Amino acid sequence: MTLYEFIKRYERGDYAELLNKFKFKFPSMFELTREIEVIPWQPDFAIADKNPEVINQLEFYEFLLKNNIITEEDYKKQTEKLGRQYSSRTEAVSFIQTKQVSFR
């Protein structure tokens, strides 16, 4: 799949307005997406990950809260248990020479 095909899936969704702005402001860049291949995510691409499990846990608790499975009080308790530590998670990588991208 090309990046162009990937982006076009969002043409009529929540990101339609943002996509139209992108096309208008960066027409050459948008055309370049036709040449870029989207490849499957591989664990080796997670080069900048630092404590990614913390981010995963936060997202999990946000999901539970959003779906009314836990209360806001429980959410605060659980997230406070995680403590304050530096965390990062690589969400995407690009390979310029081969014209490829991958998203987690």
Side-chain angles (χ1 to χ4, degrees):
M1 165 191 319
T2 66
L3 186 56
Y4 176 81
E5 293 166 334
F6 182 82
I7 290 172
K8 292 293 270 183
R9 296 188 312 187
Y10 297 98
E11 199 166 39
R12 293 195 173 100
D14 295 338
Y15 300 101
E17 185 178 336
L18 185 61
L19 180 58
N20 286 331
K21 286 180 183 179
F22 176 71
K23 286 183 198 178
F24 178 75
K25 291 186 177 194
F26 306 102
S28 297
M29 189 182 296
F30 182 74
E31 283 305 310
L32 182 63
T33 64
R34 295 176 191 271
E35 301 173 26
I36 298 172
E37 178 187 12
V38 177
I39 60 174
W41 179 262
Q42 297 177 22
D44 294 349
F45 298 159
I47 55 175
D49 284 8
K50 179 80 172 169
N51 300 319
E53 64 280 355
V54 173
I55 297 170
N56 296 339
Q57 291 250 301
L58 284 171
E59 288 178 343
F60 176 68
Y61 292 130
E62 286 174 7
F63 171 81
L64 294 177
L65 178 64
K66 190 176 193 178
N67 290 290
N68 297 317
I69 298 170
I70 62 173
T71 65
E72 193 164 338
E73 184 179 326
D74 290 334
Y75 171 80
K76 287 179 182 178
K77 284 180 187 176
Q78 295 299 328
T79 56
E80 285 173 5
K81 285 182 187 177
L82 295 174
R84 295 194 181 265
Q85 55 185 310
Y86 177 78
S87 302
S88 70
R89 184 174 67 190
T90 306
E91 296 294 332
V93 294
S94 63
F95 303 98
I96 296 169
Q97 280 128 352
T98 57
K99 293 187 179 181
Q100 295 176 319
V101 295
S102 184
F103 305 101
R104 187 174 275 199

